[in-house]
Amino acid sequence: MEVDRGAMECAVDAQSLISMSLMKIHSSRTQRGGIKLHKNLLVSYVLRNARQLYIKEKYAEIYRMQQYEEVMAVCSGIQELDPLEPLEPQGAEDAEPEQPVRAAGCGEESRAAGGREPEPPYYRSCCMEDQFSQNCNKTTVLDLDTHVVTTVENGFLHQDCCCAAAPQCAPGAAARKRKVDSAACSPDAEEPSDYTAGRKRLKREECSGADCSPDASNISNLISIFGSGFSGLLSRQADLEQVCSKQALASLGAWTRAIVAF
Amino acid sequence: MAGPGGDMQWCFSQVKGAIDDDVAEADIISTVEFNHTGELLATGDKGGRVVIFQQEVENKNLPQFRSEYNVYSTFQSHEPEFDYLKSLEIEEKINKIRWLPQKNAAQFLLSTNDKTIKLWKISERDKRPEGYNLKEEDGRYRDPNTITALRVPILIPMDLMVEASPRRVFSNAHTYHINSVSVNSDNETYLSADDLRINLWNLEITDRSFNIVDIKPANMEELTEVITAAEFHPLQCNTFVYSSSKGTIRLCDMRVSALCDKHSKLFEEPENPSNRSFFSEIISSISDVKFSHNGRYIMTRDYLSVKIWDLNMENRPVETYQVHEYLRSKLCSLYENDCIFDKFECCWNGNDSVVMTGSYNNFFRMFERGQRRDATLEASRENSKPLQVLKPRKVCTGGKRKKDEISVDSLDFNKKILHTAWHPQDNIIAVATTNNLYIFQDKVN
């Protein structure tokens, strides 16, 4: 779906549309006369459209990151052959196994040793790293009725795993990338401008407000709940998402009652 | 629209309702409907009241005063209710009023809120009996032993009294919110439609109805569309249409099967991919559907346009009129302030040559079909001198704003005209702003 963003008069940020839509759904529950089925259905379409764009942008970002990582892998390979410019040692991190951290965001303790500044929630798609999926097994879910936040351990959802986790998620840098990763915590280190730009761009998208981090994680949680409602809408989404959707549906059974109230 | 220079001109006639800007929520007009002769004009409001206006008979022959309507009857149709099982309040707001064709001296109308439909009888009483044998004039019973003679009571004239009484109450048939009622041309049955189902009733029978359309999916999570409006064909008692939130219209024939889930015709226009946006689904949702008086066309209203469909052509409308295309770039703000969910209605004139619908800033639009002309007029207290001719309005969409034009950003989105009605036989229109009812007539030369 190509969205004609140019036609939008106001700054149509997919994320703000998502939060606006969720607010509408939430407030409709207390409106006089009961929940208006028609209006909520229409709002869910906006939510779906915004979410599609949000996910598309994230995937595009990840793809760009992956492209870069491949290039960096080659570069560091070359570097290893010719260690004329050794990069900063990672200290504690070097002791870590060469485990791709990409999928490992959720629920795990931060690998950041003291002194490492917390990273903003860094979006990663668990589903894209099938082979590394063992790490991602926790989900945080917000029940709209009781306002209880619970962590579910039996399944995983592709977009909210890492967003739901504490902001201390280790930055999703592959082991091979670690050598350059020092740049993330030591902004002064030399770093290809593309990578910085990439991270900054992602940062902007994630942090659209002063306290975006909690918002982003809450929004992602609510999306994950709502993702199972009106699944007729989901069935029309891109195939790429279908894989994740099915898993989302499978794991979210009871939580959908939070939103599906008709 | 004929007139000097070929354009019809409209004059202010009357405005009903409170003048002050502080609008009480109960006074918000929620439906407007002329009866079949145009002599009566009914309005329903959010407070559950129905007010009926009557055309002044003496003025009917004076062309410039023929659109004078005065209050005929006022009654409380629906009260707020509480559904204890679901812990839901049921609003008393009148969603629709539909008149029945007149059969005898009394008038009948159907009024509905979200859950219950009522048949009201409005009758006049202008005589009263006098001279009872067993009762005194004040109503006290006389002692039969004191009666020595018999007399026949006589009817003497009295001041006209208009009484409204609920003759039937049709309840407990709708799980979802009722959006439409439509009286069949057979004058015996009518349909009521909610978000997912349409029921067929007999006007005489209140304890049961037949379900004729059911689009509720087995799993509510698979819901993708709802019913937004439904109407019987004006002449064929077996045919009705219903519109959906996806922008489609289905025509059903009740002779085909008892349950009309399978449509006979599906009217749908493919979406223009270049107009795709976050809000495409919302703006394609149909808010009103109306048959033309001759039964050959269907008119639908979606957020930005009015479309006219020929019953014989399902793949696209025969005419499309842009109501306020300049709002297309404002959809995000309109979503934010909920205006994008406003349900505008539309109506035909008596001979199906002109269609009318409302917009924002108290503007309303008329589209002349044959002449391909359109007009934008405004209902406002500033233009409310008797017989004052309405000046056409224009919205400036960009660039330099000419004198008398209004820019898109200056439009008042709280002033919306959702409900309009056209006299079935004359050029008299009723236009409802938030809490006022304006009556206009065409200019008499």
Side-chain angles (χ1 to χ4, degrees):
Chain A
M1 181 201 83
E2 283 304 308
V3 170
D4 184 10
R5 303 193 82 197
M8 290 296 121
E9 168 234 22
C10 60
V12 180
D13 178 8
Q15 195 157 331
S16 67
L17 263 189
I18 289 171
S19 54
M20 214 191 292
S21 304
L22 292 170
M23 280 308 304
K24 286 186 195 293
I25 292 172
H26 188 56
S27 63
S28 81
R29 290 154 67 90
T30 51
Q31 261 169 15
R32 198 170 166 246
I35 297 170
K36 295 189 178 9
L37 185 60
H38 184 199
K39 183 178 176 187
N40 280 281
L41 182 66
L42 296 178
V43 170
S44 71
Y45 273 110
V46 174
L47 192 55
R48 180 196 68 154
N49 295 340
R51 194 173 134 217
Q52 279 180 334
L53 186 70
Y54 181 76
I55 287 164
K56 203 168 120 174
E57 286 175 347
K58 292 303 174 198
Y59 277 134
E61 193 56 46
I62 288 162
Y63 182 68
R64 275 194 288 275
M65 293 304 305
Q66 279 190 317
Q67 297 278 55
Y68 183 74
E69 280 163 24
E70 280 161 23
V71 168
M72 286 315 299
V74 170
C75 291
S76 53
I78 294 168
Q79 199 118 61
E80 277 163 9
L81 295 172
D82 184 11
L84 289 177
E85 291 177 17
L87 298 170
E88 245 176 64
Q90 290 303 297
E93 280 81 31
D94 280 346
E96 294 280 347
E98 283 215 6
Q99 195 179 24
V101 187
R102 266 186 269 189
C106 29
E108 300 200 7
E109 285 303 299
S110 163
R111 285 198 196 128
R116 213 224 251 189
E117 48 187 279
E119 295 292 342
Y122 197 88
Y123 178 78
R124 282 297 182 212
S125 170
C126 305
C127 298
M128 285 187 62
E129 334 283 35
D130 286 341
Q131 62 272 38
F132 310 128
S133 60
Q134 289 80 4
N135 297 313
C136 196
N137 56 5
K138 286 184 188 173
T139 306
T140 308
V141 176
L142 167 69
D143 185 331
L144 284 183
D145 284 321
T146 60
H147 295 275
V148 166
V149 176
T150 323
T151 303
V152 173
E153 298 205 15
N154 56 345
F156 64 85
L157 299 149
H158 84 290
Q159 75 266 31
D160 67 307
C161 294
C162 304
C163 291
Q168 284 92 340
C169 264
R176 278 180 279 174
K177 229 173 54 169
R178 281 183 170 274
K179 289 174 187 155
V180 240
D181 202 30
S182 56
C185 59
S186 324
D188 298 331
E190 277 187 41
E191 185 173 76
S193 56
D194 280 351
Y195 182 48
T196 317
R199 293 208 54 134
K200 279 184 182 163
R201 209 180 313 128
L202 184 68
K203 254 189 165 171
R204 261 205 303 282
E205 284 167 8
E206 293 281 6
C207 304
S208 50
D211 40 317
C212 72
S213 291
D215 273 356
S217 61
N218 282 338
I219 288 164
S220 303
N221 292 340
L222 290 171
I223 293 170
S224 70
I225 295 168
F226 195 71
S228 306
F230 297 134
S231 59
L233 307 178
L234 289 174
S235 64
R236 290 161 187 243
Q237 288 174 352
D239 292 330
L240 182 59
E241 233 194 277
Q242 270 227 322
V243 174
C244 315
S245 303
K246 283 189 186 130
Q247 285 163 327
L249 287 171
S251 64
L252 274 186
W255 300 113
T256 65
R257 265 56 128 213
I259 294 252
V260 179
F262 303 121
Chain B
M1 299 191 250
D7 286 328
M8 180 187 274
Q9 290 184 299
W10 290 89
C11 304
F12 171 83
S13 173
Q14 290 175 295
V15 58
K16 312 284 188 191
I19 298 176
D20 46 45
D21 288 330
D22 208 11
V23 179
E25 185 153 338
D27 292 339
I28 295 174
I29 297 172
S30 52
T31 185
V32 180
E33 187 82 356
F34 279 101
N35 76 337
H36 293 269
T37 60
E39 186 202 346
L40 297 175
L41 175 60
T43 61
D45 63 23
K46 257 192 148 184
R49 290 166 304 201
V50 171
V51 180
I52 302 176
F53 302 90
Q54 185 188 42
Q55 199 174 18
E56 274 306 317
V57 176
E58 294 124 31
N59 293 335
K60 254 188 175 164
N61 298 321
L62 294 166
Q64 59 269 42
F65 297 118
R66 69 195 196 279
S67 60
E68 186 179 326
Y69 282 78
N70 296 318
V71 177
Y72 179 66
S73 173
T74 304
F75 56 92
Q76 186 76 33
S77 171
H78 287 71
E79 299 273 5
E81 285 172 57
F82 197 77
D83 181 337
Y84 294 99
L85 199 61
K86 295 181 191 170
S87 284
L88 283 181
E89 198 181 351
I90 300 168
E91 279 189 286
E92 67 277 30
K93 172 169 78 93
I94 308 296
N95 292 334
K96 282 283 160 25
I97 289 174
R98 289 289 183 261
W99 290 93
L100 269 58
Q102 192 172 13
K103 272 200 276 201
N104 50 36
Q107 300 278 357
F108 288 86
L109 61 79
L110 287 171
S111 71
T112 184
N113 70 348
D114 283 340
K115 296 286 180 183
T116 304
I117 306 135
K118 293 186 183 179
L119 176 70
W120 287 88
K121 176 180 177 184
I122 297 105
S123 48
E124 291 181 359
R125 193 196 291 266
D126 61 358
K127 293 188 252 298
R128 64 181 172 86
E130 207 181 61
Y132 282 106
N133 291 291
L134 298 173
K135 276 198 288 192
E136 301 283 4
E137 292 303 326
D138 57 10
R140 277 181 307 142
Y141 280 96
R142 290 165 75 182
D143 180 357
N145 300 320
T146 63
I147 298 170
T148 53
L150 276 180
R151 57 182 175 166
V152 177
I154 55 167
L155 292 170
I156 58 168
M158 60 178 253
D159 289 337
L160 178 67
M161 203 167 74
V162 180
E163 298 170 319
S165 59
R167 304 301 288 175
R168 306 272 187 275
V169 178
F170 305 91
S171 54
N172 297 323
H174 286 280
T175 309
Y176 301 96
H177 294 135
I178 297 174
N179 52 56
S180 313
V181 286
S182 177
V183 184
N184 203 345
S185 52
D186 67 5
N187 232 336
E188 286 180 13
T189 56
Y190 75 94
L191 64 75
S192 59
D194 67 28
D195 290 320
L196 297 178
R197 298 190 177 102
I198 300 179
N199 293 332
L200 183 72
W201 302 83
N202 184 304
L203 283 162
E204 300 292 331
I205 300 169
T206 59
D207 61 356
R208 77 198 94 121
S209 67
F210 288 101
N211 175 247
I212 53 177
V213 172
D214 188 341
I215 64 168
K216 184 179 178 194
N219 182 0
M220 275 300 275
E221 292 187 10
E222 286 158 13
L223 181 73
T224 57
E225 68 181 324
V226 297
I227 297 168
T228 52
E231 193 177 60
F232 266 118
H233 191 281
L235 307 166
Q236 294 166 16
C237 59
N238 54 288
T239 307
F240 66 93
V241 293
Y242 68 92
S243 59
S244 85
S245 55
K246 276 193 170 168
T248 63
I249 307 102
R250 286 173 175 79
L251 183 140
C252 300
D253 187 335
M254 294 195 291
R255 298 169 299 186
V256 172
S257 73
L259 192 58
C260 298
D261 277 358
K262 201 161 168 296
H263 53 263
S264 297
K265 290 191 191 226
L266 174 66
F267 299 87
E268 187 175 16
E269 184 178 30
E271 191 195 350
N272 181 354
S274 65
N275 280 335
R276 185 98 192 111
S277 76
F278 288 117
F279 310 104
S280 292
E281 287 83 3
I282 300 187
I283 64 171
S284 62
S285 175
I286 292 174
S287 52
D288 194 18
V289 68
K290 291 265 173 43
F291 271 104
S292 60
H293 290 94
N294 59 19
R296 289 177 52 196
Y297 299 97
I298 305 167
M299 168 165 57
T300 58
R301 176 68 155 99
D302 51 63
Y303 191 63
L304 297 179
S305 67
V306 163
K307 293 179 182 172
I308 302 202
W309 306 76
D310 187 319
L311 248 63
N312 299 315
M313 187 159 77
E314 297 169 60
N315 58 353
R316 60 176 174 83
V318 288
E319 293 153 43
T320 302
Y321 301 104
Q322 300 301 334
V323 181
H324 37 218
E325 180 69 12
Y326 46 80
L327 294 184
R328 194 180 287 275
S329 56
K330 309 277 178 201
L331 293 178
C332 186
S333 319
L334 295 166
Y335 180 71
E336 204 170 352
N337 62 20
D338 271 3
C339 282
I340 206 174
F341 300 106
D342 287 335
K343 295 187 183 169
F344 291 95
E345 292 176 7
C346 53
C347 60
W348 297 86
N349 75 337
N351 62 12
D352 301 331
S353 60
V354 186
V355 296
M356 172 167 66
T357 188
S359 178
Y360 292 104
N361 209 70
N362 282 348
F363 287 173
F364 58 100
R365 302 266 281 137
M366 284 188 190
F367 301 98
E368 211 180 330
R369 297 176 62 205
Q371 308 294 326
R372 306 216 147 261
R373 259 199 300 245
D374 64 274
T376 305
L377 302 171
E378 183 181 359
S380 77
R381 294 259 175 190
E382 281 86 48
N383 305 324
S384 52
K385 285 195 274 295
L387 299 180
Q388 177 178 3
V389 175
L390 295 181
K391 206 169 56 170
R393 305 306 309 261
K394 192 140 163 44
V395 176
C396 160
T397 52
K400 253 183 117 182
R401 187 176 76 87
K402 297 195 191 78
K403 188 171 94 85
D404 284 348
E405 281 186 359
I406 180 164
S407 74
V408 182
D409 298 310
S410 317
L411 293 174
D412 188 343
F413 290 97
N414 292 319
K415 292 185 177 168
K416 51 192 89 168
I417 292 178
L418 303 175
H419 312 285
T420 60
W422 204 308
H423 190 292
Q425 284 145 18
D426 201 347
N427 283 328
I428 299 170
I429 55 176
V431 170
T433 59
T434 308
N435 64 332
N436 286 167
L437 183 72
Y438 286 78
I439 300 173
F440 303 104
Q441 65 172 61
D442 65 343
K443 184 166 185 286
V444 176
N445 295 318

